[in-house]
Amino acid sequence: MALFEQIGTTQKVTLDDTVACSCTIETAQTIDGHTEYVLRVQRGPHPENSWRILRRYNDFASLNKCLQISGIDLSFPGKKLIGNMRPDFIAERLNALQEYINQVLMNPILASSLPTKKFIDPDSYSTPFHDLALQYASMSLRTDGVYTLGQSLGPIGWRLRTHYFKVVHKPQGNKHSPGHSTTKHHLIKSSSQSHGKQHTTQVCVTTSTEKDYNSSTRDQSGRDDLILSWTEFGPDRYVDDREIHTVLKNYGGVQHPYIVPIEHIASNDSGALVIRKFYKQGSLKDVLCSATPCNPFLSKYGSPKGRAPLPLKELALYARQILEAIRFLHSKGLACGHVHCGNVIIVDGVAKLMDVENFIFGVPSFYRPFFVQHSKINNCEAIDVYGFGHLLYEMCMGYPLQDSYARQITDCPDSLKSLLESILSRDACKSALPTLDQLTTHPFFSEYAGHFNDLYATTISVQRPHLKFSTTAKDQLKLAVQKTEARVRDEQRSVKNQKRLVRVQEMMTSEEEKKKIKQKAKQAKLRAQNSLQLNNGPPVAPPSITATVHLSSSTGVIVKSDSANSITSPQEALMSPPPSHANSSGGNTSPQPPPSAPPVPAVPPGSLQLFADLQQPIPASSSSGGGESLWP
């Protein structure tokens, strides 16, 4: 019994899927006749949050096959059957695979995909997410008895823990009890159900049913087609369990001309489901990319064939409408936190924001990896302003900004450039972003959407915005905002400290490298000087065929030469005694030819110090010819 109690009290650890991961191939090892690569994976800025996994070349090939649906050109090394166990080939293959995995993890779309997550972190992402979502959604709808769960739409979104299904109303006059439907519907099995393999991925292939779903927005009863999304609670879910059902119920009654209405919302201990109307044209991102809404996320946005920016007047109108929706949420003490093109629907020339309930679900923001790099973007309003800037940039350029700030903004009017720079420039991200109210008064909107205020006043007079919470729910929402901002600041501090540590390590490494370079340069200079001392001597001495041996009386050094082509260097000359001196009796002798120097290789390296010692002044001795001494 104690075992069951212990299991029941275990706290579930919620993972933030937006935290960037890095992967380093440390080494390769041969096991049972094949090569396995040791990968070190790190999540986030802290080195202690890392682990090692083993991967073969075939594992990399399987990952590459799953990612080919994106259409992104990746440099993947080809397979080799002969000579693939040679050490030089393994080293070359290791470098090529490292370059490949770097390309994958640096691409936000590929890095967030389920195949990539399973490849680098199989322990955390081997859970059958789709099966659990299917189970929870079926149980919830069976209890409600109003809707029937239909076909799975596959991975059409970027979140790994959000799954989409077609849903229809149950027929009227159903004689069966709630939860027992006679309507036949087909469920698409996930890869874990069909194959049971660890590294398979779900790929949504557009069937005839999905084509009909894309082309039609009404079911057989004449009602609008509906789409259900099941989302697992994220790390920022701070609303109490006793209050979350009430809060979500209030959220379900939101009314605003620029917010997509919610048909149905429910939750359990693991997550929540939301039912909305299905729009065949898809999101604003689908419109910009000319994509089909029910196609897989990787194929839609990995390498879209056509991208087109919006006309300036449409851009300004849609931007102002989204801005009013965000302002409305903040006026109710809420935050959106998920402003991007994938969460905007264009209906009859009106932009509407959806997935506003994600803040209650606690799921991480799409742009979280970007704004955690800027410590000034540390509150919910600044986060929404930052997301609005990225939305504006994508509508203007036709493609998303793939960095945390815009290095240069061109090809747009000065007023729009000024608006984008006030949000996305490096200086703006480092100092402070404008508020939502300040954005509404920007000259760009006056220039291209000057009639919006009158239009908005007429619209809200017909459809009054509405969203009401109880006092307890307001307190819970206020606490959730505070805790969400606190986690953002903590993560920003961690990122900043890690960057500082990396800079210090680079400086220390640079100093060590400088010392090594300086020592190498000094050694090279000494070698050059020694070489000059050995090779830059006086002219070649006259050839001498006869080998001679001279003994210096002062040093006792024996100098032997048997080479006719030797070259005498200054150091070698030090070892050669002066010309013959007078004998003790003062008699003169006939002059002898100068001795030839020994060959250069015969001079040991240690003789340089000896040469230096010998380069001291000595008294000049008188020769028989009265000549001068050879010594200085």
Side-chain angles (χ1 to χ4, degrees), residues 285 288-289 304 307-309 341 367 390-402 408-411:
K285 195 173 187 69
L288 293 175
C289 298
R307 287 185 179 273
C341 287
Y367 294 115
H390 276 267
L391 170 72
L392 200 64
Y393 184 95
E394 191 165 355
M395 288 193 295
C396 171
M397 303 298 177
Y399 54 86
L401 177 62
Q402 300 287 4
Q408 187 176 6
I409 299 175
T410 57
D411 301 332

PDB file of all heavy atoms in Angstrom, residues 285 288-289 304 307-309 341 367 390-402 408-411:
ATOM      1  N   LYS A 285      -0.022  32.766 -41.203  1.00  0.00           N
ATOM      2  CA  LYS A 285       1.231  32.167 -41.673  1.00  0.00           C
ATOM      3  C   LYS A 285       0.985  31.294 -42.896  1.00  0.00           C
ATOM      4  O   LYS A 285       1.799  31.257 -43.829  1.00  0.00           O
ATOM      5  CB  LYS A 285       1.886  31.353 -40.558  1.00  0.00           C
ATOM      6  CG  LYS A 285       3.339  30.992 -40.816  1.00  0.00           C
ATOM      7  CD  LYS A 285       3.949  30.331 -39.601  1.00  0.00           C
ATOM      8  CE  LYS A 285       5.444  30.118 -39.801  1.00  0.00           C
ATOM      9  NZ  LYS A 285       6.189  31.387 -39.811  1.00  0.00           N
ATOM     10  N   LEU A 288       0.653  33.682 -45.812  1.00  0.00           N
ATOM     11  CA  LEU A 288       1.939  34.234 -46.244  1.00  0.00           C
ATOM     12  C   LEU A 288       2.775  33.201 -46.986  1.00  0.00           C
ATOM     13  O   LEU A 288       3.531  33.542 -47.902  1.00  0.00           O
ATOM     14  CB  LEU A 288       2.717  34.759 -45.035  1.00  0.00           C
ATOM     15  CG  LEU A 288       2.130  35.979 -44.312  1.00  0.00           C
ATOM     16  CD1 LEU A 288       2.935  36.299 -43.064  1.00  0.00           C
ATOM     17  CD2 LEU A 288       2.083  37.190 -45.240  1.00  0.00           C
ATOM     18  N   CYS A 289       2.665  31.935 -46.583  1.00  0.00           N
ATOM     19  CA  CYS A 289       3.466  30.871 -47.199  1.00  0.00           C
ATOM     20  C   CYS A 289       2.722  30.133 -48.298  1.00  0.00           C
ATOM     21  O   CYS A 289       3.275  29.184 -48.878  1.00  0.00           O
ATOM     22  CB  CYS A 289       3.916  29.872 -46.131  1.00  0.00           C
ATOM     23  SG  CYS A 289       4.973  30.557 -44.853  1.00  0.00           S
ATOM     24  N   PRO A 304       8.997  26.877 -47.694  1.00  0.00           N
ATOM     25  CA  PRO A 304       7.809  27.195 -48.493  1.00  0.00           C
ATOM     26  C   PRO A 304       8.180  27.694 -49.879  1.00  0.00           C
ATOM     27  O   PRO A 304       9.169  28.401 -50.060  1.00  0.00           O
ATOM     28  CB  PRO A 304       7.105  28.279 -47.668  1.00  0.00           C
ATOM     29  CG  PRO A 304       8.171  28.867 -46.808  1.00  0.00           C
ATOM     30  CD  PRO A 304       9.130  27.760 -46.533  1.00  0.00           C
ATOM     31  N   ARG A 307       6.416  32.976 -50.905  1.00  0.00           N
ATOM     32  CA  ARG A 307       6.243  33.911 -49.791  1.00  0.00           C
ATOM     33  C   ARG A 307       5.955  35.288 -50.373  1.00  0.00           C
ATOM     34  O   ARG A 307       6.621  35.718 -51.321  1.00  0.00           O
ATOM     35  CB  ARG A 307       7.486  33.976 -48.909  1.00  0.00           C
ATOM     36  CG  ARG A 307       7.706  32.743 -48.037  1.00  0.00           C
ATOM     37  CD  ARG A 307       8.884  32.960 -47.111  1.00  0.00           C
ATOM     38  NE  ARG A 307       9.147  31.842 -46.230  1.00  0.00           N
ATOM     39  CZ  ARG A 307       8.587  31.663 -45.051  1.00  0.00           C
ATOM     40  NH1 ARG A 307       7.713  32.554 -44.611  1.00  0.00           N
ATOM     41  NH2 ARG A 307       8.893  30.632 -44.301  1.00  0.00           N
ATOM     42  N   ALA A 308       4.985  35.940 -49.805  1.00  0.00           N
ATOM     43  CA  ALA A 308       4.628  37.269 -50.315  1.00  0.00           C
ATOM     44  C   ALA A 308       4.235  38.156 -49.146  1.00  0.00           C
ATOM     45  O   ALA A 308       3.375  37.790 -48.333  1.00  0.00           O
ATOM     46  CB  ALA A 308       3.472  37.167 -51.311  1.00  0.00           C
ATOM     47  N   PRO A 309       4.849  39.327 -49.010  1.00  0.00           N
ATOM     48  CA  PRO A 309       4.449  40.265 -47.947  1.00  0.00           C
ATOM     49  C   PRO A 309       3.075  40.858 -48.225  1.00  0.00           C
ATOM     50  O   PRO A 309       2.568  40.827 -49.353  1.00  0.00           O
ATOM     51  CB  PRO A 309       5.552  41.327 -47.994  1.00  0.00           C
ATOM     52  CG  PRO A 309       6.076  41.268 -49.402  1.00  0.00           C
ATOM     53  CD  PRO A 309       5.969  39.838 -49.824  1.00  0.00           C
ATOM     54  N   CYS A 341       2.310  34.778 -36.225  1.00  0.00           N
ATOM     55  CA  CYS A 341       1.451  34.631 -37.400  1.00  0.00           C
ATOM     56  C   CYS A 341       0.640  33.343 -37.373  1.00  0.00           C
ATOM     57  O   CYS A 341      -0.432  33.282 -37.977  1.00  0.00           O
ATOM     58  CB  CYS A 341       2.302  34.680 -38.671  1.00  0.00           C
ATOM     59  SG  CYS A 341       2.907  36.324 -39.072  1.00  0.00           S
ATOM     60  N   TYR A 367       8.463  32.488 -29.127  1.00  0.00           N
ATOM     61  CA  TYR A 367       9.670  33.311 -29.192  1.00  0.00           C
ATOM     62  C   TYR A 367      10.457  33.321 -27.880  1.00  0.00           C
ATOM     63  O   TYR A 367      11.341  34.170 -27.703  1.00  0.00           O
ATOM     64  CB  TYR A 367       9.306  34.753 -29.573  1.00  0.00           C
ATOM     65  CG  TYR A 367       8.762  34.882 -30.976  1.00  0.00           C
ATOM     66  CD1 TYR A 367       7.451  35.288 -31.203  1.00  0.00           C
ATOM     67  CD2 TYR A 367       9.549  34.607 -32.078  1.00  0.00           C
ATOM     68  CE1 TYR A 367       6.945  35.407 -32.491  1.00  0.00           C
ATOM     69  CE2 TYR A 367       9.061  34.720 -33.369  1.00  0.00           C
ATOM     70  CZ  TYR A 367       7.755  35.120 -33.565  1.00  0.00           C
ATOM     71  OH  TYR A 367       7.270  35.226 -34.842  1.00  0.00           O
ATOM     72  N   HIS A 390       7.699  40.798 -34.058  1.00  0.00           N
ATOM     73  CA  HIS A 390       8.005  39.700 -34.984  1.00  0.00           C
ATOM     74  C   HIS A 390       6.852  39.469 -35.958  1.00  0.00           C
ATOM     75  O   HIS A 390       7.078  39.176 -37.144  1.00  0.00           O
ATOM     76  CB  HIS A 390       8.295  38.423 -34.194  1.00  0.00           C
ATOM     77  CG  HIS A 390       9.707  38.326 -33.702  1.00  0.00           C
ATOM     78  ND1 HIS A 390      10.703  37.681 -34.402  1.00  0.00           N
ATOM     79  CD2 HIS A 390      10.296  38.798 -32.571  1.00  0.00           C
ATOM     80  CE1 HIS A 390      11.841  37.750 -33.733  1.00  0.00           C
ATOM     81  NE2 HIS A 390      11.622  38.418 -32.612  1.00  0.00           N
ATOM     82  N   LEU A 391       5.624  39.565 -35.468  1.00  0.00           N
ATOM     83  CA  LEU A 391       4.455  39.436 -36.335  1.00  0.00           C
ATOM     84  C   LEU A 391       4.464  40.514 -37.415  1.00  0.00           C
ATOM     85  O   LEU A 391       4.227  40.241 -38.606  1.00  0.00           O
ATOM     86  CB  LEU A 391       3.189  39.530 -35.489  1.00  0.00           C
ATOM     87  CG  LEU A 391       1.849  39.665 -36.219  1.00  0.00           C
ATOM     88  CD1 LEU A 391       1.479  38.354 -36.878  1.00  0.00           C
ATOM     89  CD2 LEU A 391       0.759  40.100 -35.260  1.00  0.00           C
ATOM     90  N   LEU A 392       4.749  41.725 -37.021  1.00  0.00           N
ATOM     91  CA  LEU A 392       4.795  42.845 -37.958  1.00  0.00           C
ATOM     92  C   LEU A 392       5.903  42.638 -39.000  1.00  0.00           C
ATOM     93  O   LEU A 392       5.723  42.908 -40.189  1.00  0.00           O
ATOM     94  CB  LEU A 392       5.024  44.143 -37.179  1.00  0.00           C
ATOM     95  CG  LEU A 392       4.657  45.465 -37.847  1.00  0.00           C
ATOM     96  CD1 LEU A 392       3.162  45.535 -38.092  1.00  0.00           C
ATOM     97  CD2 LEU A 392       5.107  46.630 -36.960  1.00  0.00           C
ATOM     98  N   TYR A 393       7.056  42.164 -38.546  1.00  0.00           N
ATOM     99  CA  TYR A 393       8.180  41.926 -39.450  1.00  0.00           C
ATOM    100  C   TYR A 393       7.828  40.879 -40.506  1.00  0.00           C
ATOM    101  O   TYR A 393       8.129  41.048 -41.701  1.00  0.00           O
ATOM    102  CB  TYR A 393       9.396  41.469 -38.632  1.00  0.00           C
ATOM    103  CG  TYR A 393      10.653  41.277 -39.442  1.00  0.00           C
ATOM    104  CD1 TYR A 393      11.588  42.302 -39.542  1.00  0.00           C
ATOM    105  CD2 TYR A 393      10.923  40.075 -40.089  1.00  0.00           C
ATOM    106  CE1 TYR A 393      12.753  42.132 -40.282  1.00  0.00           C
ATOM    107  CE2 TYR A 393      12.072  39.895 -40.833  1.00  0.00           C
ATOM    108  CZ  TYR A 393      12.981  40.928 -40.917  1.00  0.00           C
ATOM    109  OH  TYR A 393      14.135  40.758 -41.665  1.00  0.00           O
ATOM    110  N   GLU A 394       7.185  39.795 -40.076  1.00  0.00           N
ATOM    111  CA  GLU A 394       6.844  38.727 -41.026  1.00  0.00           C
ATOM    112  C   GLU A 394       5.779  39.181 -42.021  1.00  0.00           C
ATOM    113  O   GLU A 394       5.819  38.809 -43.196  1.00  0.00           O
ATOM    114  CB  GLU A 394       6.373  37.488 -40.268  1.00  0.00           C
ATOM    115  CG  GLU A 394       6.246  36.251 -41.137  1.00  0.00           C
ATOM    116  CD  GLU A 394       6.130  34.973 -40.334  1.00  0.00           C
ATOM    117  OE1 GLU A 394       6.235  35.037 -39.084  1.00  0.00           O
ATOM    118  OE2 GLU A 394       5.935  33.913 -40.956  1.00  0.00           O
ATOM    119  N   MET A 395       4.822  39.989 -41.580  1.00  0.00           N
ATOM    120  CA  MET A 395       3.831  40.512 -42.515  1.00  0.00           C
ATOM    121  C   MET A 395       4.472  41.465 -43.518  1.00  0.00           C
ATOM    122  O   MET A 395       4.061  41.543 -44.674  1.00  0.00           O
ATOM    123  CB  MET A 395       2.717  41.233 -41.745  1.00  0.00           C
ATOM    124  CG  MET A 395       1.791  40.317 -40.978  1.00  0.00           C
ATOM    125  SD  MET A 395       0.281  41.159 -40.411  1.00  0.00           S
ATOM    126  CE  MET A 395       0.955  42.347 -39.253  1.00  0.00           C
ATOM    127  N   CYS A 396       5.489  42.185 -43.084  1.00  0.00           N
ATOM    128  CA  CYS A 396       6.152  43.163 -43.947  1.00  0.00           C
ATOM    129  C   CYS A 396       7.102  42.491 -44.932  1.00  0.00           C
ATOM    130  O   CYS A 396       7.110  42.821 -46.121  1.00  0.00           O
ATOM    131  CB  CYS A 396       6.903  44.172 -43.089  1.00  0.00           C
ATOM    132  SG  CYS A 396       7.974  45.301 -44.003  1.00  0.00           S
ATOM    133  N   MET A 397       7.899  41.543 -44.463  1.00  0.00           N
ATOM    134  CA  MET A 397       8.924  40.928 -45.305  1.00  0.00           C
ATOM    135  C   MET A 397       8.440  39.670 -46.022  1.00  0.00           C
ATOM    136  O   MET A 397       9.011  39.274 -47.037  1.00  0.00           O
ATOM    137  CB  MET A 397      10.162  40.597 -44.454  1.00  0.00           C
ATOM    138  CG  MET A 397      10.751  41.790 -43.743  1.00  0.00           C
ATOM    139  SD  MET A 397      11.322  43.056 -44.910  1.00  0.00           S
ATOM    140  CE  MET A 397      11.854  44.342 -43.762  1.00  0.00           C
ATOM    141  N   GLY A 398       7.446  39.003 -45.472  1.00  0.00           N
ATOM    142  CA  GLY A 398       6.987  37.750 -46.055  1.00  0.00           C
ATOM    143  C   GLY A 398       7.680  36.540 -45.485  1.00  0.00           C
ATOM    144  O   GLY A 398       7.302  35.406 -45.779  1.00  0.00           O
ATOM    145  N   TYR A 399       8.684  36.732 -44.670  1.00  0.00           N
ATOM    146  CA  TYR A 399       9.413  35.629 -44.029  1.00  0.00           C
ATOM    147  C   TYR A 399       9.725  36.025 -42.592  1.00  0.00           C
ATOM    148  O   TYR A 399       9.818  37.203 -42.270  1.00  0.00           O
ATOM    149  CB  TYR A 399      10.712  35.319 -44.792  1.00  0.00           C
ATOM    150  CG  TYR A 399      11.611  36.517 -45.005  1.00  0.00           C
ATOM    151  CD1 TYR A 399      12.541  36.903 -44.037  1.00  0.00           C
ATOM    152  CD2 TYR A 399      11.528  37.263 -46.168  1.00  0.00           C
ATOM    153  CE1 TYR A 399      13.354  37.999 -44.226  1.00  0.00           C
ATOM    154  CE2 TYR A 399      12.343  38.375 -46.361  1.00  0.00           C
ATOM    155  CZ  TYR A 399      13.253  38.729 -45.397  1.00  0.00           C
ATOM    156  OH  TYR A 399      14.072  39.826 -45.578  1.00  0.00           O
ATOM    157  N   PRO A 400       9.898  35.051 -41.693  1.00  0.00           N
ATOM    158  CA  PRO A 400      10.110  35.383 -40.278  1.00  0.00           C
ATOM    159  C   PRO A 400      11.532  35.849 -40.004  1.00  0.00           C
ATOM    160  O   PRO A 400      12.463  35.563 -40.764  1.00  0.00           O
ATOM    161  CB  PRO A 400       9.820  34.052 -39.567  1.00  0.00           C
ATOM    162  CG  PRO A 400      10.150  33.004 -40.576  1.00  0.00           C
ATOM    163  CD  PRO A 400       9.789  33.594 -41.912  1.00  0.00           C
ATOM    164  N   LEU A 401      11.682  36.570 -38.912  1.00  0.00           N
ATOM    165  CA  LEU A 401      12.994  36.985 -38.434  1.00  0.00           C
ATOM    166  C   LEU A 401      13.597  35.843 -37.629  1.00  0.00           C
ATOM    167  O   LEU A 401      13.033  35.420 -36.623  1.00  0.00           O
ATOM    168  CB  LEU A 401      12.871  38.245 -37.568  1.00  0.00           C
ATOM    169  CG  LEU A 401      14.150  38.780 -36.925  1.00  0.00           C
ATOM    170  CD1 LEU A 401      15.153  39.193 -37.981  1.00  0.00           C
ATOM    171  CD2 LEU A 401      13.838  39.946 -36.004  1.00  0.00           C
ATOM    172  N   GLN A 402      14.737  35.326 -38.077  1.00  0.00           N
ATOM    173  CA  GLN A 402      15.336  34.150 -37.465  1.00  0.00           C
ATOM    174  C   GLN A 402      16.409  34.518 -36.443  1.00  0.00           C
ATOM    175  O   GLN A 402      17.368  33.764 -36.246  1.00  0.00           O
ATOM    176  CB  GLN A 402      15.960  33.255 -38.548  1.00  0.00           C
ATOM    177  CG  GLN A 402      14.981  32.752 -39.576  1.00  0.00           C
ATOM    178  CD  GLN A 402      14.047  31.677 -39.054  1.00  0.00           C
ATOM    179  OE1 GLN A 402      14.077  31.341 -37.869  1.00  0.00           O
ATOM    180  NE2 GLN A 402      13.223  31.136 -39.910  1.00  0.00           N
ATOM    181  N   GLN A 408      19.422  44.745 -39.529  1.00  0.00           N
ATOM    182  CA  GLN A 408      19.199  45.807 -40.509  1.00  0.00           C
ATOM    183  C   GLN A 408      17.801  45.630 -41.098  1.00  0.00           C
ATOM    184  O   GLN A 408      17.403  44.525 -41.457  1.00  0.00           O
ATOM    185  CB  GLN A 408      20.248  45.752 -41.618  1.00  0.00           C
ATOM    186  CG  GLN A 408      20.177  46.921 -42.582  1.00  0.00           C
ATOM    187  CD  GLN A 408      21.296  46.867 -43.614  1.00  0.00           C
ATOM    188  OE1 GLN A 408      22.056  45.908 -43.672  1.00  0.00           O
ATOM    189  NE2 GLN A 408      21.409  47.912 -44.417  1.00  0.00           N
ATOM    190  N   ILE A 409      17.051  46.703 -41.193  1.00  0.00           N
ATOM    191  CA  ILE A 409      15.697  46.680 -41.737  1.00  0.00           C
ATOM    192  C   ILE A 409      15.663  47.564 -42.971  1.00  0.00           C
ATOM    193  O   ILE A 409      15.967  48.756 -42.906  1.00  0.00           O
ATOM    194  CB  ILE A 409      14.669  47.171 -40.693  1.00  0.00           C
ATOM    195  CG1 ILE A 409      14.684  46.254 -39.474  1.00  0.00           C
ATOM    196  CG2 ILE A 409      13.272  47.218 -41.298  1.00  0.00           C
ATOM    197  CD1 ILE A 409      13.792  46.720 -38.344  1.00  0.00           C
ATOM    198  N   THR A 410      15.333  46.961 -44.090  1.00  0.00           N
ATOM    199  CA  THR A 410      15.289  47.694 -45.357  1.00  0.00           C
ATOM    200  C   THR A 410      14.014  47.328 -46.108  1.00  0.00           C
ATOM    201  O   THR A 410      13.188  46.534 -45.634  1.00  0.00           O
ATOM    202  CB  THR A 410      16.518  47.338 -46.216  1.00  0.00           C
ATOM    203  OG1 THR A 410      16.554  45.920 -46.418  1.00  0.00           O
ATOM    204  CG2 THR A 410      17.811  47.778 -45.543  1.00  0.00           C
ATOM    205  N   ASP A 411      13.867  47.897 -47.285  1.00  0.00           N
ATOM    206  CA  ASP A 411      12.754  47.573 -48.193  1.00  0.00           C
ATOM    207  C   ASP A 411      11.395  47.830 -47.554  1.00  0.00           C
ATOM    208  O   ASP A 411      10.467  47.009 -47.675  1.00  0.00           O
ATOM    209  CB  ASP A 411      12.840  46.110 -48.663  1.00  0.00           C
ATOM    210  CG  ASP A 411      14.141  45.812 -49.395  1.00  0.00           C
ATOM    211  OD1 ASP A 411      14.689  46.756 -50.001  1.00  0.00           O
ATOM    212  OD2 ASP A 411      14.595  44.656 -49.349  1.00  0.00           O
TER     213      ASP A 411
END
